[in-house]
Amino acid sequence: MNTSTATAPVVKSGLTAEQFIQKYANHPTYIPPRGPELNAKNWQAEAALRMFLNNLTDEVAEAPADLVVYGGTGQAARTPEDARNIIEVLLELEEDESLMVQSGKPVGKVRTHPEAPRVLIANSNLVPHWATWEYFNDLRKRGLIMYGQMTAGSWIYIGSQGILQGTYETFAACGDRYFNGDLRHKLLVTGGLGGMGGAQPLAATIAGATFLGVDVDPDRIKKRLDTRYIDKMTHNYEEAKQWVLEAKERGEAISVGLVGDIGDVLERLIADNITPEILTDQTSAHDPINGYVPNGLSLQEAKELRQQDPAKYKVLSLKSMARHVGFMLELQRRGSRTFDYGNNLREFAQQGGEANAFNIPGFVPEYIRPLFCQGKGPFRWAALSGDPEDIRVTDEALKELFPENTHMIKWLDEAQEKVAFQGLPCRICWLGMGEREKAGLLFNQLVREGKVKAPIVIGRDHLDCGSVASPYRETEGMKDGSDAISDWPLLNLMSNTAGGATWVSFHHGGGVGIGYSQHAGMVILADGTERAERCLRRVLHNDPAMGIFRHADAGYEAAQENARKFGLEL
């Protein structure tokens, strides 16, 4: 069945499924196709196919051989065989069919219709009584489940840029609140420079701060260096200290990546009487076994101990997190503006013996919730053409569409100059209620008029205003105490499915780990068609509206005012 209303003729690549796999998905080498030619039977399936492969390309993924995209264990598919099967189904998927994916394994197709999602994804979900890392890891060893993180298993991870503006917004909000909006001559220190934490150095320097980031894995820092997210790299603490202190004195926004253990580095900063103005962390603390590396172990020793004695590994990891947070608390007492960045470090530090771990506030209630009350969040898009010029066109079109949004315009100008693309060219900027719908319709028009060379994929992080229940992160400290109610992400999932998103997902645990969150993802295609326009109008209204519904119901006056402003009251 073909009901496409594309205005341009559809050109097929002519590759068989086997030829396609050999060219684009010969494990462990994955390459997203580029250009205007279709490999699948329609652009909806093609978009899912390209973004799936984009998640796994070595420019983007942490470990393509293991299908790990980011976060230590966050996968796009469960096994190489499952990845191949997903690709084969997407190549043949009709516009009245939808593929179902259960924790990275394609399990069936259902009869739907052209405005239904082409892919329905559920990752890492467990009945609450059994939602523990121990039970999950047993299932994973038996090949029954995978960890989808947030955007890894929903095929919309776009490299470090994906969290870049959200990180910038957080650092800028900290500057506004505590430093009169000026982070020059301010030192920001953090741990973790992986797939999510790797956005921190560039976000900090765009915000004007001097940055010191620490990671035990030199390859992670090297990747940020190669993609221009970080300016300098060293294995030497004294050298790093000299660089950042001199830059801070000059008011120079540079970023330094130091190979080392974050706990050890914080201990040395304390001994040297150096108190950073801002302190946070994005180590892989959501997973005490497969993410965090205990103090005193090399990467190889950690890898071996994980396999030989995971129970011992977890004990060491929790003790190290407690030590790590203990140093953060000491720097907080000395004056550092210290906050948790949503990796569940506080909870596991508390389990490891640091009773005061939650004296460190979370970043959402501290800085981001006012944006959520406006329906604002991480709106991202990818140019399926593979041509960076298409992103430049969308950037300029958005600046013309929202001339009064000077904050967004400044961000896009900075991003054009400083952000290196990973995989398919992509962009992110935080947009709110009303803005997302207008932006999506604009992109659809650009495709229809041929101003970009291929369709545009629009998505977002699961960390959004109305898509997640995470009591130690996005929904921490809700005004009405509704932190742990996960009806909201389920309603988000259902509204985006009913509205006609191109693919949808529902995950458990992303960001903070098994047992601690549930969240929904959404991706929608702008392919220039009337069908796409109808879906964009619904989805890009419903999705941010969920954030306003959620926060208005919790009693936030700003959200209630926005509900009235946008006609969202019952």
Side-chain angles (χ1 to χ4, degrees), residues 66-103:
D66 300 320
L67 306 174
V68 169
V69 181
Y70 71 90
T73 56
Q75 293 179 287
R78 202 185 304 178
T79 68
E81 293 74 25
D82 291 323
R84 181 188 178 101
N85 290 340
I86 287 169
I87 292 165
E88 288 177 343
V89 175
L90 289 174
L91 286 169
E92 297 300 324
L93 198 66
E94 301 286 354
E95 285 189 309
D96 59 355
E97 297 177 318
S98 297
L99 169 64
M100 295 186 295
V101 180
Q102 180 262 319
S103 284

Side-chain angles (χ1 to χ4, degrees), residues 346-368:
R346 296 172 298 175
E347 169 64 18
F348 288 123
Q350 190 174 66
Q351 291 183 23
E354 179 47 72
N356 297 317
F358 281 88
N359 286 357
I360 296 173
F363 80 105
V364 171
E366 191 80 351
Y367 304 118
I368 298 299

Side-chain angles (χ1 to χ4, degrees), residues 16 135 169 332 338 567:
T16 66
Y135 193 81
E169 295 284 353
Q332 184 184 48
T338 303

Side-chain angles (χ1 to χ4, degrees), residues 96 104 132 167 216 228 258-259 268 282-283 286 289 304 308 346 348-350 381 448 463 496 532 538 543 564:
D96 59 355
T132 66
T167 311
V216 293
R228 297 189 289 134
L258 171 62
V259 180
R268 293 188 71 173
Q282 280 201 32
T283 54
H286 66 282
I289 296 176
E304 292 170 0
Q308 296 167 2
R346 296 172 298 175
F348 288 123
Q350 190 174 66
W381 63 99
R448 181 183 298 126
L463 187 168
N496 283 323
R538 293 190 295 257
D543 195 46
R564 289 189 288 272

Side-chain angles (χ1 to χ4, degrees), residues 402-449:
F402 301 119
E404 74 290 345
N405 192 337
T406 55
H407 183 78
M408 181 205 72
I409 291 171
K410 178 181 183 298
W411 165 256
L412 291 175
D413 287 343
E414 293 275 4
Q416 282 185 13
E417 179 184 348
K418 298 178 179 179
V419 173
F421 296 129
Q422 296 171 255
L424 291 173
C426 302
R427 181 70 77 231
I428 183 168
C429 72
W430 278 45
L431 295 177
M433 187 68 203
E435 293 175 320
R436 299 194 204 188
E437 181 182 351
K438 290 178 182 177
L441 293 174
L442 172 67
F443 291 173
N444 203 52
Q445 182 180 341
L446 293 175
V447 177
R448 181 183 298 126
E449 294 174 352

Side-chain angles (χ1 to χ4, degrees), residues 38-296:
L38 275 176
N39 300 281
K41 291 186 173 181
N42 53 77
W43 271 111
Q44 298 165 70
E46 182 79 19
L49 176 67
R50 294 193 189 192
M51 295 311 295
F52 175 73
L53 292 168
N54 193 61
N55 262 22
L56 289 170
T57 191
D58 61 3
E59 292 179 50
V60 175
E62 284 184 2
D66 300 320
L67 306 174
V68 169
V69 181
Y70 71 90
T73 56
Q75 293 179 287
R78 202 185 304 178
T79 68
E81 293 74 25
D82 291 323
R84 181 188 178 101
N85 290 340
I86 287 169
I87 292 165
E88 288 177 343
V89 175
L90 289 174
L91 286 169
E92 297 300 324
L93 198 66
E94 301 286 354
E95 285 189 309
D96 59 355
E97 297 177 318
S98 297
L99 169 64
M100 295 186 295
V101 180
Q102 180 262 319
S103 284
K105 179 181 180 179
V107 293
K109 293 186 294 185
V110 291
R111 297 175 184 174
T112 54
H113 55 85
E115 295 188 18
R118 292 283 69 77
V119 190
L120 306 166
I121 300 171
N123 285 315
S124 321
N125 294 291
L126 294 168
V127 173
H129 180 76
W130 288 267
T132 66
W133 272 119
E134 289 75 17
Y135 193 81
F136 175 87
N137 284 328
D138 179 62
L139 293 173
R140 181 165 55 189
K141 287 177 184 176
R142 292 157 58 194
L144 298 174
I145 202 167
M146 74 166 200
Y147 195 60
Q149 262 291 352
M150 285 191 156
T151 51
S154 57
W155 311 345
I156 192 60
Y157 182 67
I158 61 171
S160 295
Q161 185 186 174
I163 198 67
L164 180 62
Q165 193 189 0
T167 311
Y168 164 78
E169 295 284 353
T170 302
F171 293 163
C174 181
D176 289 341
R177 184 166 179 179
Y178 294 115
F179 304 106
N180 296 316
D182 187 358
L183 290 182
R184 291 175 299 173
H185 305 286
K186 306 295 184 295
L187 176 62
L188 192 159
V189 172
T190 188
L193 294 168
M196 299 302 283
Q200 294 178 103
L202 183 55
T205 55
I206 290 175
T210 302
F211 175 89
L212 174 63
V214 182
D215 201 297
V216 293
D217 188 345
D219 288 342
R220 289 184 171 185
I221 302 178
K222 181 65 164 53
K223 191 166 190 174
R224 309 310 153 212
L225 197 66
D226 291 344
T227 53
R228 297 189 289 134
Y229 273 72
I230 206 161
D231 297 317
K232 293 183 176 183
M233 174 179 174
T234 180
H235 288 71
N236 187 290
Y237 167 80
E238 292 295 334
E239 184 172 47
K241 181 178 76 171
Q242 180 181 350
W243 285 346
V244 297
L245 291 182
E246 289 177 355
K248 178 187 172 184
E249 178 67 24
R250 295 191 299 267
E252 185 179 356
I254 69 161
S255 55
V256 174
L258 171 62
V259 180
D261 177 271
I262 181 59
D264 289 347
V265 172
L266 295 182
E267 184 178 33
R268 293 188 71 173
L269 290 174
I270 291 167
D272 290 342
N273 202 30
I274 298 170
T275 302
E277 281 75 16
I278 302 173
L279 176 64
T280 189
D281 182 76
Q282 280 201 32
T283 54
S284 295
H286 66 282
D287 187 339
I289 296 176
N290 296 295
Y292 199 85
V293 177
N295 177 255

